[in-house]
Amino acid sequence: MSVVPVLVINSGSSSFKYQLLDMSTERTLASGLVERIGEPVGVARHTVYAASTSAAAGEVTGTPTFLDATRTRELPISDHTAGFAVMLEAFASDGPSLADNPPVAVGHRVVHGGARFFEPTLITPLVEINIDELSVLAPLHNPANLAGILAARRAFPDAPHVAVFDTAFHQTLAPAAYTYAIDADVAASHRIRRYGFHGTSHKFVSEAAAAFVGRPLEDLKQIVFHLGNGASVTAIDGGRSVDTSMGFTPLEGLVMGTRSGDIDPAVLFQLARRGGMTIDDLDDLLNKRSGLLGLAGSNDLRDIRAGIERGDERAVLAFEVYVHRLRTYAGAYLAQLGGADIISFTAGVGENAPHVRAGALETLGFAGVEIDPDRNESPERGIRVISTDASRVTVLVVPTDEELEIARQTLAVSRA
Ligand code: ADP
């Protein structure tokens, strides 16, 4: 079968990540990171993967099984366009050759699609203007995503470029779920509503879960916990997002690595009036100095775990607050859906922290949720069941793969 290369770009303000996939096999061929763009010395890392041919090394799957080589270079990288030139040099020198197999399409992660983009979209100059205009809603993310798009279009002028939006999957939310109960005119004039994020991951995981249990997506009620540094949970009915914990921005909802998640907004009034904090101070507090970091001094759940083992009371409390919030949302979404067929856990914490999974669902026996402790603790990788055979709700761990999902959607749009 001939190779069908699709390049996926995830661009930040001073860095971008890329991944080249062969969509005939859905295998990653290469990935890389270009960072410290605009600083005196930038860094470019390029990794080439080769499929394992030895049965002992495991089956060839969508994820790389054998690491061929990584090369890191340090050099000044003035802007995203220069960064793409560095990436192209890495492909030319370390492979795989883009001259032999140029990408048939380039997919871009775009954080905010507002209420405008509800599906992956072929990028035209008009779409670029819309992404730019949506920077009002995502001032940190959309301009950075757009910088990547513009540079990538210069680097690959002949390939179709496709925008895949983090918010798109949640455009199926009903007004009752996305409307904040504030003055309707104020909300409308500033486009204040819940948008939801991590959509690419929630879509990928819910579809993978349905395929794994061998039932049609349309028939299933699902809850997906995406627990990484950022964390969100989504209620999915028949493949459609009906509620999600992130809102106007990714700050709402669960306790995260550095973000507070849900908080009484009046706390901010108090901190401004009594604590003399500015809007920027408050933004910094809730987005960067809260969550696990704020409670226990580290945003990494492994450190929290180590703290608990040392008897650190702050770590114990941080873990309890984290799990308490998960349980609250699990109950809420069971209620919104009227029960669930599948509950899945994904991302760094969701895939690796059995004590979090157990804690989140511990009290849900009444709703037919029963975790099997041995299955939950098993060090096995890959998609797997962690509920008992008797559990009415199937609980899964599903490794997410946002790049693969972006590549799939990109290919579908470019072929349409
Ligand atoms: P991001 O949201 O940045 O993509 P990830 O999904 O990679 O993040 O999740 C990163 C987080 O996952 C880490 O900060 C850490 O809290 C958690 N994590 C990663 N590995 C483990 C592990 N083995 N055990 C517990 N937590 C882990």
Side-chain angles (χ1 to χ4, degrees):
M1 205 177 345
S2 60
V3 183
V4 181
V6 170
L7 184 67
V8 174
I9 306 292
N10 183 352
S11 180
S13 57
S14 64
S15 67
F16 65 88
K17 287 190 239 172
Y18 58 89
Q19 200 171 113
L20 184 72
L21 296 98
D22 169 14
M23 294 308 287
S24 70
T25 55
E26 298 199 328
R27 198 169 69 75
T28 302
L29 302 174
S31 67
L33 171 67
V34 175
E35 58 186 340
R36 301 203 201 136
I37 294 172
E39 290 184 29
V41 183
V43 180
R45 199 177 68 221
H46 184 76
T47 301
V48 182
Y49 303 94
S52 164
T53 46
S54 121
E59 283 175 48
V60 178
T61 63
T63 39
T65 48
F66 178 69
L67 193 58
D68 235 0
T70 295
R71 188 187 343 207
T72 304
R73 294 167 69 197
E74 294 198 353
L75 73 174
I77 303 167
S78 58
D79 56 16
H80 283 72
T81 299
F84 273 83
V86 170
M87 179 191 81
L88 290 177
E89 281 165 30
F91 274 108
S93 61
D94 297 353
S97 164
L98 296 180
D100 295 345
N101 281 305
V104 298
V106 182
H108 296 267
R109 174 178 183 230
V110 179
V111 167
H112 220 305
R116 197 165 297 158
F117 293 106
F118 51 90
E119 53 187 18
T121 303
L122 189 68
I123 299 174
T124 62
L126 182 61
V127 170
E128 288 172 355
I129 290 168
N130 278 310
I131 292 172
D132 188 32
E133 195 270 334
L134 287 164
S135 298
V136 179
L137 299 177
L140 297 179
H141 293 110
N142 274 36
N145 299 154
L146 188 58
I149 289 172
L150 297 174
R153 293 217 323 147
R154 278 182 217 114
F156 302 98
D158 299 327
H161 289 248
V162 175
V164 178
F165 299 92
D166 261 20
T167 48
F169 183 59
H170 304 299
Q171 282 298 304
T172 49
L173 256 59
Y178 71 64
T179 304
Y180 289 114
I182 62 169
D183 180 311
D185 294 333
V186 171
S189 58
H190 295 280
R191 289 188 274 177
I192 306 292
R193 49 160 282 182
R194 315 183 68 252
Y195 292 99
F197 298 87
H198 285 153
T200 307
S201 178
H202 288 295
K203 181 176 190 301
F204 177 87
V205 169
S206 53
E207 290 176 2
F212 183 74
V213 301
R215 291 179 58 188
L217 187 64
E218 297 69 34
D219 295 350
L220 294 169
K221 293 176 190 291
Q222 302 196 50
I223 297 173
V224 176
F225 284 96
H226 176 111
L227 310 178
N229 228 326
S232 68
V233 48
T234 298
I236 300 163
D237 195 347
R240 294 163 64 86
S241 170
V242 296
D243 210 348
T244 192
S245 60
M246 285 179 168
F248 178 67
T249 76
L251 180 54
E252 192 177 352
L254 303 176
V255 176
M256 312 186 206
T258 65
R259 298 186 200 127
S260 61
D262 296 337
I263 187 170
D264 180 347
V267 170
L268 308 186
F269 314 152
Q270 179 76 358
L271 291 176
R273 290 188 185 120
R274 299 276 167 176
M277 294 179 82
T278 65
I279 293 292
D280 286 341
D281 293 338
L282 293 168
D283 190 330
D284 186 66
L285 174 72
L286 295 194
N287 274 301
K288 302 202 178 129
R289 294 194 287 124
S290 296
L292 296 175
L293 177 71
L295 289 171
S298 169
N299 66 333
D300 194 311
L301 203 91
R302 286 164 288 198
D303 296 336
I304 305 296
R305 193 71 191 152
I308 293 171
E309 274 156 26
R310 280 196 313 272
D312 176 350
E313 283 175 20
R314 293 195 316 159
V316 172
L317 179 63
F319 184 80
E320 286 176 352
V321 173
Y322 187 93
V323 166
H324 182 96
R325 186 80 50 88
L326 293 177
R327 205 178 284 161
T328 299
Y329 272 90
Y333 287 0
L334 282 169
Q336 291 295 358
L337 290 167
D341 301 293
I342 302 175
I343 297 178
S344 298
F345 289 89
T346 193
V349 174
E351 292 169 32
N352 295 300
H355 47 301
V356 167
R357 299 190 294 253
L361 305 185
E362 191 170 71
T363 55
L364 292 176
F366 75 92
V369 183
E370 202 178 283
I371 295 244
D372 179 312
D374 290 338
R375 288 177 179 171
N376 186 34
E377 298 280 344
S378 155
E380 203 186 323
R381 315 293 306 167
I383 186 164
R384 57 199 186 272
V385 178
I386 58 165
S387 46
T388 64
D389 292 340
S391 180
R392 266 189 286 131
V393 180
T394 304
V395 184
L396 302 176
V397 176
V398 183
T400 193
D401 193 339
E402 289 166 278
E403 282 77 15
L404 175 57
E405 180 60 35
I406 291 173
R408 283 178 181 165
Q409 296 188 26
T410 296
L411 191 64
V413 169
S414 70
R415 281 179 169 168

